[in-house]
Amino acid sequence: MLGPDPHHVGLARRWADRIARGTDSASFALITAVSELVTNAQRHTRSGDPGGTTTVVVERRPFAFVLTVTDNGPRPGPTIPVPRIEDRHEPLAVGGYGLRMLDTLAAYWDWSGTAGGPLTVRALLDRTGEPPGTAVP
């Protein structure tokens, strides 16, 4: 469980690196996914507010990591934001690439939650270090 301090993203990355214990490419995918999802939780939800928390769980399976990141839910406002990949009209824009990177690195990802409540993003990441879709039959 992490707090709202932006330095906690670095703690999460180091923790994910220790969990990966594999090839550099498998470590890269897990570390990047953890970093992006924790950053998104802090930036876009109540997890980034004073007293907020983000829960990160990594399940090690024989050939994959199952990553789940749960935030404290949306900040009050007229709309309830949900994870989605933004249409990019400006390729040099800063920010907004976290879920796009997750989509590239993960074999699968989704999210669940209830309106106004905590939201969980799940991702399935290959532990072998092979990029998704490159396995030889």
Side-chain angles (χ1 to χ4, degrees):
M1 186 173 295
L2 304 164
D5 186 329
H7 291 98
H8 288 188
V9 176
L11 293 173
R13 280 194 297 261
R14 288 189 292 281
W15 177 75
D17 186 39
R18 285 193 304 271
I19 287 172
R21 297 187 311 221
T23 64
D24 287 342
S25 55
S27 297
F28 173 80
L30 181 62
I31 293 165
T32 302
V34 165
S35 180
E36 293 300 327
L37 291 178
V38 171
T39 298
N40 281 354
Q42 288 183 345
R43 195 173 284 161
H44 302 294
T45 75
R46 292 186 320 232
S47 292
D49 296 344
T53 60
T54 304
T55 303
V56 181
V57 176
V58 176
E59 179 185 341
R60 293 171 58 90
R61 294 192 179 170
F63 299 102
F65 296 111
V66 179
L67 168 65
T68 59
V69 177
T70 303
D71 63 41
N72 291 142
R75 292 183 175 104
T79 61
I80 298 174
V82 295
R84 63 182 169 22
I85 297 174
E86 297 284 335
D87 287 334
R88 301 305 295 190
H89 299 292
E90 175 55 51
L92 301 178
V94 175
Y97 293 98
L99 288 178
R100 190 175 305 278
M101 283 194 288
L102 179 66
D103 195 54
T104 300
L105 294 170
Y108 171 82
W109 73 274
D110 67 4
W111 62 271
S112 62
T114 57
L119 185 132
T120 299
V121 176
R122 287 178 300 274
L124 180 67
L125 301 155
D126 187 342
R127 275 184 65 186
T128 65
E130 296 295 324
T134 61
V136 178

